[in-house]
Amino acid sequence: MSKRIKDKTTELAEPIVEGMGLELVDVEYKKEGKHWFLKVFIDSEDGVDIEDCGHVSEKLSETLDEENIIQGAYYLDVSSPGAERPLKTKKDISRAVGKHVYVTTYEPIDGEKAFEGTLTGFDEDSLSIEGKQKQKTYHVPYEKVAKARLAIQF
């Protein structure tokens, strides 16, 4: 049920978000405590502000009401993915080259399952990460990536 709502919301939100010159990063539909939340994450090259979130929320809310895909009460939350934005697609990873990232894998590579450092390259099949701790470059096959996100460097 929640996958259907997530997929349908994505389908409805993409043209709204893209029509405003923004990017749809992710959609989540989950229960927190006793309340359901539909979370929509948007971004752009220049970042997003409260007005962008408000405009998307208003238009998406109207569309969701018209389509009536969610039965029962829920809260719609439109926001930025934050400084540690998830990298969910190959396009996201390509745009992150040169930035500080945190990547986990399904299985160990060179005895490691977590990699943090500068993403120095991505060729659609493999990520090159210059390790923060060991000053070593790791080559992580894309198909072994469990999660990837931007990381704040301290």
Side-chain angles (χ1 to χ4, degrees):
M1 172 66 125
S2 65
K3 180 164 174 26
R4 183 188 70 78
I5 290 171
K6 178 183 173 178
D7 292 346
K8 186 65 176 170
T9 301
T10 299
E11 181 183 311
L12 295 171
E14 274 183 332
I16 293 169
V17 172
E18 290 173 3
M20 295 179 175
L22 304 170
E23 173 191 0
L24 180 64
V25 175
D26 199 10
V27 174
E28 295 177 353
Y29 182 65
K30 61 184 180 179
K31 193 170 188 176
E32 293 180 8
K34 60 182 178 176
H35 301 287
W36 282 94
F37 287 85
L38 180 60
K39 297 183 177 193
V40 177
F41 299 96
I42 60 172
D43 206 357
S44 78
E45 290 288 323
D46 301 322
V48 293
D49 59 23
I50 192 90
E51 288 182 19
D52 294 326
C53 295
H55 292 307
V56 170
S57 180
E58 190 175 303
K59 288 190 178 209
L60 182 57
S61 181
E62 290 172 10
T63 302
L64 290 167
D65 287 347
E66 288 171 11
E67 295 290 325
N68 197 28
I69 61 169
I70 302 174
Q71 307 303 314
Y74 67 95
Y75 293 96
L76 175 60
D77 177 15
V78 177
S79 65
S80 160
E84 293 193 335
R85 171 193 170 144
L87 304 173
K88 297 212 171 228
T89 65
K90 286 184 175 184
K91 182 179 173 185
D92 290 341
I93 293 171
S94 291
R95 285 191 302 207
V97 170
K99 296 181 180 171
H100 198 76
V101 298
Y102 180 79
V103 176
T104 59
T105 57
Y106 293 113
E107 57 188 59
I109 297 166
D110 294 337
E112 307 277 339
K113 287 183 76 175
F115 306 88
E116 183 175 352
T118 302
L119 180 64
T120 57
F122 177 60
D123 66 7
E124 297 286 317
D125 294 321
S126 177
L127 294 78
S128 296
I129 302 169
E130 189 173 306
K132 177 182 172 185
Q133 303 295 351
K134 297 183 180 177
Q135 299 304 314
K136 176 180 176 183
T137 299
Y138 294 93
H139 299 283
V140 179
Y142 179 76
E143 72 271 0
K144 292 186 180 180
V145 172
K147 288 188 178 184
R149 64 171 169 79
L150 295 178
I152 297 174
Q153 189 172 6
F154 295 99

